[in-house]
Amino acid sequence: MTSIPVMAIDGPAASGKGAVAQAIAERLGFHYLDSGAIYRAAALAVVQSGKNIDSPDLSDTEVADIAAHMRLSFKSDEIWLSNQNITDAIRTEACGNNASKIAVLPKLRQALLELQRNFRRVPGLVAEGRDMGTVVFPDARLKIYLTASAPVRAERRYKQLMEKGINANMGDLLNEIEQRDARDLSRSVAPLRSGDDTITIDTTTLDLARSIEAVLKFYHAANRM
């Protein structure tokens, strides 16, 4: 498995890593892993089980057990939980915030680790998330950390939601992004960070096309070494 190349793209919410990773996977003919979708699916499964994610009585063991028994499948551009198409349901802001809350739980992260690593298949994988390069694929051939200022990320998320016909408030989005950043950066297990062998790219002033080209430049350079 370690001979199959992996490009790991990590970064905070709305940094553009999802769009960049998916475009690069298509360009290279690689498989694509949206690890955030897995955590969002786990959060949805917890809610659908009747559990309150904000309850102090909800244990790491309970959440991990629910996640371990998920019947999760990816079919083309759709994500299914058991017999339910959850593609749209997991993309809501509420689900994203719930995913961020349970992502701090060590047993849950361990339960989902093997599931994520199983996406590593020939000819290669582009994996995006929070800890792809530091924990899930520490032997990745190229590790990228995409970031951008919080106000710019809030503006991007606002535009995404408006394009989908979903009403949003810029102030609320900025507050949610800052709260998610704080949780991701401070969690005790697999915190969001740029590793020593990671290349950081600030996309604050870059559009999607320029962000993609910036990452591909480092990919081609790495393959020439």
Side-chain angles (χ1 to χ4, degrees):
M1 291 291 287
T2 57
S3 64
I4 300 173
V6 173
M7 180 191 300
I9 302 180
D10 291 310
S15 59
K17 63 185 183 296
V20 169
Q22 195 163 14
I24 289 176
E26 291 176 1
R27 187 88 63 92
L28 299 177
F30 281 11
H31 298 285
Y32 166 63
L33 168 60
D34 174 0
S35 66
I38 295 175
Y39 279 90
R40 285 169 178 258
L44 183 62
V46 171
V47 171
Q48 291 184 341
S49 74
K51 305 291 184 181
N52 181 358
I53 284 180
D54 292 316
S55 171
D57 297 325
L58 182 63
S59 72
D60 187 357
T61 300
E62 287 179 285
V63 175
D65 185 62
I66 291 171
H69 290 88
M70 286 192 303
R71 291 168 53 198
L72 189 64
S73 60
F74 295 79
K75 304 174 183 178
S76 186
D77 293 330
E78 297 178 342
I79 303 171
W80 290 73
L81 181 62
S82 296
N83 296 318
Q84 178 188 6
N85 186 335
I86 61 170
T87 308
D88 293 330
I90 64 170
R91 294 306 175 189
T92 65
E93 286 301 296
C95 190
N97 286 327
N98 284 338
S100 177
K101 292 173 184 177
I102 66 171
V104 303
L105 303 175
K107 291 181 181 177
L108 170 68
R109 301 195 70 85
Q110 186 61 40
L112 296 180
L113 191 57
E114 183 176 356
L115 175 60
Q116 294 173 84
R117 286 178 173 164
N118 285 339
F119 279 81
R120 188 175 197 166
R121 301 189 298 272
V122 174
L125 174 68
V126 179
E128 60 100 344
R130 301 292 197 281
D131 62 346
M132 295 298 98
T134 54
V135 176
V136 182
F137 300 107
D139 62 338
R141 183 169 299 179
L142 177 65
K143 301 177 184 180
I144 298 291
Y145 186 89
L146 286 187
T147 188
S149 69
V152 166
R153 288 186 281 132
E155 182 179 358
R156 289 174 180 170
R157 182 57 54 82
Y158 178 80
K159 290 179 179 178
Q160 289 173 348
L161 293 173
M162 294 302 289
E163 288 173 357
K164 295 178 181 178
I166 302 173
N167 290 326
N169 178 279
M170 274 289 294
D172 291 342
L173 288 174
L174 178 58
N175 184 53
E176 289 170 0
I177 281 176
E178 290 175 339
Q179 288 182 358
R180 289 176 66 178
D181 286 352
R183 284 195 297 268
D184 292 340
L185 290 165
S186 63
R187 65 190 181 212
S188 59
V189 178
L192 172 65
R193 64 181 178 85
S194 175
D196 295 336
D197 55 350
T198 303
I199 298 166
T200 298
I201 300 175
D202 191 325
T203 67
T204 299
T205 60
L206 301 180
D207 60 15
L208 177 58
R210 291 167 64 196
S211 298
I212 293 169
E213 291 307 318
V215 174
L216 283 174
K217 180 181 72 173
F218 287 109
Y219 172 78
H220 292 311
N223 283 336
R224 287 195 297 267
M225 295 174 62

